[in-house]
């Protein structure tokens, strides 16, 4: 009888083994899904309790992107992810094909800060001619939030649309945003149009309350959405030019007679002052090394959002987009340092790693026969190293590697499901100062 029981157990185990092997690897039971301090990262603020991502998130772009924790396929020859990653949410994607190479809580809806200005620009750039001029009124600047980043727009002075966009992209000027919104028919109209553009791009995690990203209740986006938005903006020449400009001259006030000079016959001259891009990976300012191949896009920082950043870079013909939201690290300039590490990883992994999802195309680029974007990647086939959320959310590359045990690889749908899936991202503008 004991021999019979032993045989039965052996048969049952043999039957269950393929099913167990087919399950995706995951974090150990009880491990938190949000980034936490560890011996590897050594980066989080001591004693700071990190919030947890939602148990259920959007699956636009693939079912794996809706899972909490780090998602990456670490197969043969694929480098492990960097260890020092503390962002609540991040994503690495191919800017042209839209393949998501790796992600962490990609659809976690978080305050976006000034990275939302990418959506503002993507919405309004085609509507306002660069040469159009506008005289600013006090009403135009009335809604600018306290403590906002400003470029220095003054009432009763005239600016071109070109000047104002430089103020938006380089200095993240909320004053410039509000003036451009006035030119577009007002803040409320602009917010409605931005939301419509987000919906068109299928950036469904995004809820717009202000055009400038200023902290407001209910204003959220996600690493996935910000990357979609950046990808759309980069199709526009002006967007690429503004976001890649290191420095520029911005119009100031008119000169006044010096003390002792007669006003009669004095001809005032419009003075200008230099502004520098606040994207430190682009400029190499304030102790941050300039990233080789960087060509934009936008950074942000508010009380509720922490630091946010979306960057695009090109090396050896490969164009990558990385978004990092709210790193908890005490490392100086963490959002830039973590973006640089993820870009380095992406360039090393490109062509070797199997994607975990895709950046979907706008609604207008889809056909009626195309599948629901939330179902992309819902089919399974075969066995391979799969996506894992390890080391307390997968913030450490070594932890992710150790968490891979070999499960079912979730395959993406065929490449033909989009009209022109590979967007023709034009050559990225090289860094240069603008006079």
């Amino acid at each position: 009888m004991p021999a019979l029981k032993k045989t039965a157990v052996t048969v049952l185990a043999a039957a269950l083994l393929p099913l167990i092997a087919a399950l995706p690897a995951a974090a150990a039971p009880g491990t938190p899904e949000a980034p936490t301090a560890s011996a590897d990262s050594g980066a989080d603020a001591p004693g700071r309790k990190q919030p947890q991502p939602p148990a259920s998130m959007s699956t636009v772009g693939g079912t794996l992107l809706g899972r909490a924790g780090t998602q990456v396929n670490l197969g043969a020859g694929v480098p492990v992810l960097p260890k020092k990653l503390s962002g609540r949410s991040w994503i690495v994607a191919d800017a042209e094909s839209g393949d998501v190479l790796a992600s962490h809580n990609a659809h976690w809806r978080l305050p976006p800060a000034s990275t939302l200005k990418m959506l503002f620009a993507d919405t309004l750039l085609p509507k306002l001619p660069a040469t159009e001029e506008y005289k600013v009124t006090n009403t135009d600047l009335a809604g600018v939030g306290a403590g906002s980043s400003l470029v220095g727009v003054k009432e009763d002075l005239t600016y071109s649309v070109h000047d104002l966009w430089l103020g938006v992209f380089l200095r993240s000027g909320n004053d410039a945003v509000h003036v451009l919104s006035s030119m577009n028919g007002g803040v409320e109209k602009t917010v409605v149009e931005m939301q419509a553009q987000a919906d068109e791009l299928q950036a469904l995690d995004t809820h717009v309350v202000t055009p400038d990203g200023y902290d407001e209740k209910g204003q959220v986006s996600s690493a996935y959405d910000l990357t979609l938005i950046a990808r759309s903006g980069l199709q526009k020449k002006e967007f690429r030019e503004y976001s890649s400009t290191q420095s520029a001259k911005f119009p100031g006030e008119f000169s006044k007679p010096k003390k002792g000079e007669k006003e009669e016959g004095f001809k005032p001259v419009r003075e200008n002052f230099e502004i520098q891009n606040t994207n430190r990976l682009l400029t190499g300012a304030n102790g941050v090394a300039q990233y080789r191949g960087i060509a934009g896009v936008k950074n942000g920082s508010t009380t509720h959002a922490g630091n946010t950043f979306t960057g695009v870079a090109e090396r050896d013909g490969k164009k990558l987009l990385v978004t990092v939201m709210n790193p908890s690290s005490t490392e100086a300039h963490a959002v830039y340092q973590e973006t640089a590490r993820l870009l380095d990883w992406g360039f090393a992994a490109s062509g070797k790693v199997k994607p975990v999802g895709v950046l979907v195309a706008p609604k207008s680029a889809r056909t009626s026969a195309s599948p629901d974007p939330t179902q992309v990647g819902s089919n399974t086939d075969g066995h391979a190293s799969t996506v894992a959320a390890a080391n307390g959310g997968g913030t450490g590359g070594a932890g992710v590697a150790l968490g891979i045990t070999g499960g079912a690889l979730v395959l993406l749908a065929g490449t033909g499901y989009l009209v022109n899936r590979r967007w023709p991202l034009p050559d990225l503008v090289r860094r240069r100062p603008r006079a």
Side-chain angles (χ1 to χ4, degrees), residues 281 299-300 307-309 324-327 331-340:
L281 286 184
N299 58 302
N307 291 294
T308 60
F309 181 69
V324 176
M325 302 187 76
N326 201 349
E331 177 184 24
H333 313 299
V335 75
Y336 297 112
Q337 304 295 0
E338 296 184 18
T339 297

Side-chain angles (χ1 to χ4, degrees), residues 10-154:
T10 302
V11 171
L12 180 60
L16 290 175
L17 186 58
L19 297 176
I20 294 172
L23 294 174
T31 56
E33 293 174 319
T36 57
S38 70
D40 284 335
S41 67
D44 290 344
R48 181 187 294 178
K49 185 178 180 181
Q50 295 301 312
Q52 305 295 303
S56 176
M57 292 180 281
S58 168
T59 56
V60 170
T63 55
L64 296 177
L65 300 180
R67 296 182 183 178
T70 300
Q71 312 300 323
V72 63
N73 281 313
L74 291 180
V78 178
V80 296
L81 287 166
K83 293 182 179 181
K84 293 184 178 181
L85 299 176
S86 67
R88 291 183 185 175
S89 175
W90 53 258
I91 194 169
V92 183
D94 186 304
E96 288 193 305
S97 71
D99 288 340
V100 177
L101 309 185
S103 70
H104 181 76
N105 301 325
H107 281 292
W108 192 354
R109 303 181 78 192
L110 298 166
S114 287
T115 47
L116 192 66
K117 289 183 174 77
M118 295 188 297
L119 178 60
F120 174 74
D122 191 42
T123 305
L124 262 63
L125 268 171
K127 301 183 65 179
L128 302 174
T131 56
E132 183 177 346
E133 295 192 341
Y134 182 80
K135 187 175 183 178
V136 177
T137 68
N138 185 52
T139 304
D140 298 329
L141 302 174
V144 178
S148 288
S149 53
L150 305 171
V151 66
V153 174
K154 303 294 183 182

Side-chain angles (χ1 to χ4, degrees), residues 216-433:
E216 289 289 351
K217 184 178 180 180
Q219 181 148 273
V220 292
S221 190
S222 66
Y224 182 88
D225 280 15
L226 292 174
T227 308
L228 272 186
I229 292 163
R231 190 183 182 215
S232 176
L234 288 166
Q235 308 302 311
K236 301 172 178 63
K237 180 182 178 182
E238 295 85 359
F239 189 103
R240 298 194 305 277
E241 290 179 345
Y242 289 128
S243 69
S244 66
T245 299
Q246 282 189 348
S247 62
K249 300 294 184 181
F250 192 80
E253 300 186 56
F254 284 91
S255 60
K256 297 178 181 179
K258 295 179 181 179
K259 189 176 181 180
E261 289 184 344
K262 294 181 180 181
E263 292 190 16
E264 184 178 349
F266 177 80
K267 294 182 179 180
V269 176
R270 185 83 181 263
E271 298 176 343
N272 58 52
F273 55 92
E274 185 170 298
I275 57 175
Q276 187 179 57
N277 203 312
T278 54
N279 175 354
R280 294 178 183 177
L281 286 184
L282 183 71
T283 62
N286 300 96
V288 177
Q290 186 182 60
Y291 191 83
R292 182 169 64 88
I294 194 74
V297 176
K298 189 73 189 75
N299 58 302
S301 178
T302 64
T303 301
H304 295 297
N307 291 294
T308 60
F309 181 69
T310 297
V312 64
E314 179 180 2
R315 287 186 184 177
D316 301 322
K318 299 175 183 177
K319 301 169 185 176
L320 298 182
L321 277 163
V322 167
T323 296
V324 176
M325 302 187 76
N326 201 349
S328 60
S329 171
T330 57
E331 177 184 24
H333 313 299
V335 75
Y336 297 112
Q337 304 295 0
E338 296 184 18
T339 297
R341 290 176 193 129
L342 286 169
L343 282 169
D344 284 345
W345 177 87
F347 285 120
S350 180
K352 302 173 184 176
V353 66
K354 294 182 179 179
V356 296
V358 68
L359 299 177
V360 296
K363 290 179 181 178
S364 58
R366 291 171 51 81
T367 67
S368 58
S370 299
D372 186 329
T374 63
Q375 300 304 311
V376 175
S378 61
N379 298 321
T380 59
D381 180 24
H383 301 282
S385 297
T386 191
V387 178
N391 191 28
T395 60
V400 173
L402 292 173
I404 301 298
T405 59
L409 174 65
V410 179
L411 298 177
L412 297 176
T415 58
Y417 79 96
L418 293 176
V419 175
N420 190 23
R421 178 173 181 255
R422 178 177 285 275
W423 280 24
L425 190 66
D427 289 339
L428 300 175
V429 175
R430 300 304 179 195
R431 297 181 302 276
R432 67 181 188 276

